[in-house]
Amino acid sequence: MNLPPQFITQTQSLLGDVEWQKLSEALEEPQPISIRLNQNKIDKYGICLSQDIFESIPWCESGFYLSARPTFTYDPLFHSGAYYVQEASSMFIEQIVKQHLPHKNIVALDLCAAPGGKTTLLRSLLPSNSLLIANEIVRKRAQILSENLLKWGHPDVIVTNNSSEDFSEYTNMFDLIVADVPCSGEGMFRKDEGAIAEWSVENVDVCWKRQRDIISSIWHSLKPGGLLIYSTCTYNTKENEENVAWILDTYGAQSLPVQIEDSWNITRSLYSKTLNTYRFMPHKTKGEGFFVSVIQKPLEEDDVVEFRFPKEKGKNKKRITAQEAINNKIFEESINWVNNSNEVYDSVVYNDTLFAFPKLYMPYLQLYQKEKMRIVHAGTPIAYIKGKSCIPHHALALSNLLQINTFEQVEISYEQAIAYLRKEAITLPVMTSKGFVILTYKNMPLGFVKSLGNRSNNLYPTEWRIRSGYMPQQLLTL
């Protein structure tokens, strides 16, 4: 690996000659392959995976190392949201959430969320009846984030495409903010050769200053007593411990400890023993470079903790109520496609699409629907209008809210699943009824087709399809 000379000098000075030598040798080794299971789906549909290739990640209950890299693009279970491919070190977020998050419904912001590894993990860990706002400033990456969250299937999510400054006016809105800030990417050198080419001392300086600007812009959005999880995938202290120290000094915040096992080989602060920071170094822990610290905002007796919603000045003309749509018989049948026995979710129609969204957090959605907040998706899309027909949305097939028994189900083979994911025509059994049908693979819902009797229409999203027409010679799936 052709590392930048200045990076070598900087990191060798930080770690010492012996530790640097071990790190440089580790960077020449193949990167570990790890996934995290979507336990909700696996339990619901009784999915059995190839457990013989699994080795548990000790700091994440649903995380596993793999002995070989599967052909993820050609694994239907990957596309159905049965698991997420995530770097093992970043799964340590689970320990912070379990040890420090209150056991009550909260509102959380994942500020720099794409592509969605920490976001899907966070959504699985938050207490029930919590809301997660997942944000990404780059539009293309925000679309990828939305796709991954829809595949994960949890409905209590809003995905936005905004800058950190756009959240600055929402004082005391969030109980938790996760800021995996853009960084110089030193911890990704083994995973991404492009990160090596982009690295420079000048870029490190740009990054640590930008990171402070990001934290400054969202600090007032964090409730007094709320938690900030600050993380990077880099090694230098400027972007890591020095920025944490700056946050503590600037805002009078507190650095919280996280209980860890000695066997995990996690490195503590390399800058100050008074800081509770945690480093994952590839020569010590099985994963890529990662840094994280949990910071608590001070709580004064006279602090106003709850977010105050502004008075509504007007209504979005594009939004109509679900009741109006139901009265017009547009989405009457599709309401029954969702499991909402406890009436936790409300139905909202927006741009000819019906969504299920938690009633408790409807004021947040209504607030975000103003022009400044660019919503990519909110809740679970249920159905949409095409011509005069109501079509089930693909996201519904992957959602935890799916009332699966309202549709006929057809189990398909691996070859048929790949054809479906390429948006090719699927031949259904002769006895299949006409109408919307859910295709399942290994009992896991994969998506919808419309049975027309002698043929079917493939309803898989065009933008999600497998574009390659070839099959790899060596195929490994879960």
Side-chain angles (χ1 to χ4, degrees), residues 326-353:
I326 294 168
N327 290 343
N328 293 331
K329 308 293 185 181
I330 301 174
F331 292 111
E332 187 173 38
E333 179 184 5
S334 59
I335 297 296
N336 298 321
W337 297 345
V338 169
N339 182 6
N340 190 22
S341 57
N342 296 325
E343 298 186 348
V344 174
Y345 296 92
D346 200 356
S347 299
V348 179
V349 179
Y350 189 82
N351 286 349
D352 293 331
T353 300

Side-chain angles (χ1 to χ4, degrees), residues 205-222:
D205 287 338
V206 169
C207 286
W208 72 257
K209 293 173 183 176
R210 182 194 298 130
Q211 291 153 2
R212 294 190 183 188
D213 289 341
I214 289 173
I215 298 304
S216 297
S217 66
I218 54 90
W219 186 256
H220 295 295
S221 301
L222 185 63

Side-chain angles (χ1 to χ4, degrees), residues 10 22-23 73 84 86 117 134 152 154 163 209 222 227 229 245:
Q10 170 184 287
K22 292 179 180 178
L23 174 60
T73 301
Y84 191 95
Q86 183 179 358
W152 202 247
H154 201 296
S163 69
K209 293 173 183 176
L222 185 63
L227 300 181
I229 298 177

Side-chain angles (χ1 to χ4, degrees), residues 101 240 250 252 256 348 357 436 462 469:
L101 211 60
N240 293 336
T250 302
L256 299 182
V348 179
F357 192 81
F436 298 114
T462 302

